[in-house]
Amino acid sequence: MSSALLDIRGLKVQFRTSRGVVRAVDGIDLAVQPREIIGLVGESGCGKSTVAHAITRLIPSPPGQIVAGEIRYRGSDLLRVPERDMRSQIRGREIAMVFQDPMTYLNPVMKVRTQITETLRLHQQLNAEEAGRKALEILAHVQIPSPERVAKSYPHELSGGMRQRVLIGIAIACTPTLLIADEPTTALDVTVQAQILRLLKDLVRDLQSSLLLITHDLGIVAELCDRVYVIYCGRVVEHGDVYRIFESPRHPYTIGLLRSALSIEEMRDELVAIEGQVPNLMAPPPGCAFHPRCGFCMDICRREAPGPVPAAEGHEVWCFRELP
């Protein structure tokens, strides 16, 4: 995808610990086109958030290290961009991130206005008065009632939904081209989740930006995304148009995820869980990482890691079952 806004090839991220090396991301390819919403789906611990932190160069080092691959944004490899330029020109300006827990990423001793104006003054060189005025506009843009009151508040004085809106406001302050949302609704109740998702969708459309949505919730993917990547143990196992993935999943892991999710369209007496546990990423199984939990496992699955197999136009599956 030469026209891709973001093009990741062969990304590998490892964490060196006292017990061994954790292969958190093990050779992922991923592309995001302009004005596209992409879903990155998988169980907890499969490497989703690590991909997001690698894109923004926020992998803590040590113990983390990007050991291989390219992360091309508008044709330039972000892994070769000096940290000073990442901080001043890319991170927060061109690529912004909405984190999972706003209470962790909002400064508890700074008022909301200060936290938004800090971003504006750093990246847009606005004076204090201009930044303060734009901060109120941003709070209104993310549909916060009484922006003046909220701007004067500390994070602990706001509800969870309000804090998440503030975090989104900080992320969109400089009109980024790529927005990364890492489990943006995990800690919120269902009603507020729907509001935040609708807000993200509207903002991406209004800003004409792209969105990389990281989640374990297939319902969110079905609601928002154009394409989806399913990952397991740091590797992509299936990729395609969101409608095709939901209507005709091909990888046993994707099938298992869909069977284990609730649906209002289908009555079920019980949910079907995926048997077994996620492998230890310090000692992943040989061959296909999913083979110990797969009901379709063949001998070759235990020996070799599958490559991508075209299942249909724009639909790829990393599974030996799909070979002709």
Side-chain angles (χ1 to χ4, degrees):
M1 293 187 178
S2 58
S3 62
L5 176 69
L6 178 74
D7 194 1
I8 299 175
R9 296 295 173 193
L11 178 65
K12 294 186 178 183
V13 183
Q14 297 179 353
F15 292 86
R16 297 187 179 278
T17 72
S18 58
R19 299 176 59 188
V21 177
V22 178
R23 301 175 189 175
V25 176
D26 195 20
I28 276 183
D29 293 351
L30 182 149
V32 181
Q33 300 293 332
R35 303 183 190 181
E36 187 178 38
I37 301 180
I38 295 296
L40 188 58
V41 181
E43 293 173 273
S44 296
C46 68
K48 304 186 301 295
S49 295
T50 303
V51 172
H53 288 102
I55 294 169
T56 50
R57 293 263 300 274
L58 292 176
I59 298 292
S61 178
Q65 184 180 8
I66 299 174
V67 298
E70 295 181 341
I71 303 175
R72 292 198 169 273
Y73 173 74
R74 289 183 164 175
S76 299
D77 188 357
L78 294 180
L79 301 183
R80 299 180 180 275
V81 175
E83 174 58 27
R84 182 178 62 182
D85 294 340
M86 278 294 299
R87 189 184 304 115
S88 63
Q89 300 175 20
I90 303 294
R91 192 188 302 126
R93 185 175 181 177
E94 290 277 338
I95 303 174
M97 191 161 173
V98 179
F99 295 96
Q100 183 175 141
D101 181 8
M103 278 305 285
T104 299
Y105 291 96
L106 291 174
N107 192 322
V109 298
M110 289 174 61
K111 293 183 178 180
V112 167
R113 182 196 301 268
T114 305
Q115 300 195 50
I116 299 176
T117 57
E118 186 177 55
T119 298
L120 294 169
R121 299 188 72 179
L122 172 64
H123 293 297
Q124 298 189 352
Q125 289 76 50
L126 301 180
N127 60 40
E129 182 179 351
E130 292 171 332
R133 185 166 55 250
K134 188 164 184 181
L136 295 179
E137 294 174 359
I138 290 168
L139 291 175
H141 197 185
V142 295
Q143 301 174 12
I144 287 181
S146 305
E148 295 85 356
R149 178 186 63 81
V150 172
K152 298 175 183 177
S153 302
Y154 291 97
H156 72 270
E157 298 176 310
L158 305 175
S159 68
M162 285 291 187
R163 288 194 292 263
Q164 192 63 281
R165 289 174 188 269
V166 169
L167 205 59
I168 293 172
I170 294 172
I172 68 163
C174 299
T175 317
T177 307
L178 174 63
L179 189 64
I180 302 172
D182 185 7
E183 301 275 11
T185 62
T186 296
L188 305 176
D189 63 57
V190 175
T191 303
V192 179
Q193 281 186 24
Q195 295 172 356
I196 295 298
L197 292 174
R198 187 162 53 247
L199 173 63
L200 280 172
K201 190 172 186 177
D202 291 344
L203 288 172
V204 169
R205 181 195 61 213
D206 294 344
L207 300 175
Q208 298 185 353
S209 302
S210 298
L211 173 64
L212 176 60
L213 178 66
I214 296 169
T215 182
H216 64 274
D217 191 327
L218 292 168
I220 292 176
V221 171
E223 178 70 21
L224 289 184
C225 297
D226 302 310
R227 290 188 295 117
V228 58
Y229 290 83
V230 181
I231 69 172
Y232 183 79
C233 287
R235 300 176 186 175
V236 175
V237 295
E238 188 161 6
H239 155 246
D241 176 272
V242 68
Y243 296 106
R244 192 178 298 277
I245 293 290
F246 275 78
E247 290 179 3
S248 182
R250 306 299 289 268
H251 196 281
Y253 179 60
T254 310
I255 295 170
L257 286 179
L258 290 169
R259 286 179 177 173
S260 65
L262 289 170
S263 172
I264 62 173
E265 297 179 352
E266 181 183 352
M267 290 295 295
R268 298 178 185 174
D269 295 330
E270 61 180 355
L271 296 178
V272 180
I274 301 175
E275 295 183 359
Q277 297 180 340
V278 177
N280 182 349
L281 294 184
M282 285 188 289
C288 174
F290 189 64
H291 86 254
R293 306 173 70 186
C294 182
F296 304 96
C297 180
M298 302 178 289
D299 287 341
I300 192 174
C301 304
R302 301 182 179 93
R303 301 192 309 268
E304 300 178 23
V309 179
E313 184 178 355
H315 186 182
E316 294 179 308
V317 186
W318 281 252
C319 182
F320 289 115
R321 290 176 60 222
E322 298 298 321
L323 289 174

